[in-house]
Amino acid sequence: MESNTVPPAQRRFFLTLILGGVGATLAALAGWPVLRFLSPRSDSGGDSIVRVPRGQVPFGGSHFFNYRGRPAVLLQPRPGEYVALSAVCTHLGCIVKWEGDKGEFLCPCHGGRFSAEGTVLGGPPPAALPSFSVSLQGEDLVIG
């Protein structure tokens, strides 16, 4: 009489294959939210042109606002000169703080420092803060 049993090596291979597939699927399902959290958001959403009254940006001061759905900041580092930058740190996406007495931005998460023009002065940020165009129309500053 002939036996229809599967050799143990073949059973182990089949179980390893099935468990590996289930494990890979579970890892992908668990990793997807982490990947979405760490990946940068698209620039969609929000206004592509923002108007700010010139009086809201004092000399040496800052004005935070939303631009394209993300935090941004408008500065007047020198009288009559305006700079608009993203307020999102290029390291891990924390919101930078303007330190007027030092004339630079500080990232509170990991100590990244940026100049008033957005260039990296120190810390872990890999790139400068993105800048946006600023023009003067009447008494309004137009960003975008």
Side-chain angles (χ1 to χ4, degrees), residues 7-59:
Q10 212 171 6
R11 277 186 284 186
R12 276 192 299 271
F13 175 74
F14 177 74
L15 285 175
T16 302
L17 190 65
I18 293 298
L19 289 176
V22 168
T25 302
L26 290 176
L29 289 174
W32 179 250
V34 173
L35 180 66
R36 291 294 300 150
F37 176 76
L38 294 176
S39 64
R41 290 186 251 168
S42 67
D43 284 342
S44 62
D47 294 333
S48 60
I49 294 178
V50 174
R51 293 180 178 272
V52 176
R54 191 166 47 167
Q56 287 188 357
V57 187
F59 168 66

Side-chain angles (χ1 to χ4, degrees), residues 21-143:
V22 168
T25 302
L26 290 176
L29 289 174
W32 179 250
V34 173
L35 180 66
R36 291 294 300 150
F37 176 76
L38 294 176
S39 64
R41 290 186 251 168
S42 67
D43 284 342
S44 62
D47 294 333
S48 60
I49 294 178
V50 174
R51 293 180 178 272
V52 176
R54 191 166 47 167
Q56 287 188 357
V57 187
F59 168 66
S62 64
H63 174 74
F64 285 81
F65 61 97
N66 282 327
Y67 181 68
R68 295 182 182 164
R70 309 275 318 244
V73 62
L74 188 59
L75 299 173
Q76 185 178 178
R78 289 171 277 295
E81 181 183 327
Y82 297 93
V83 178
L85 302 166
S86 171
V88 179
C89 180
T90 56
H91 179 228
L92 289 178
C94 298
I95 306 303
V96 297
K97 308 288 184 228
W98 173 248
E99 301 212 341
D101 56 331
K102 295 180 183 176
E104 63 184 41
F105 290 101
L106 175 67
C107 178
C109 295
H110 298 104
R113 295 176 30 240
F114 299 91
S115 72
E117 289 77 28
T119 58
V120 178
L121 297 175
L129 295 173
S131 63
F132 310 116
S133 64
V134 180
S135 61
L136 184 63
Q137 290 182 359
E139 287 298 310
D140 288 343
L141 298 166
V142 179
I143 297 96

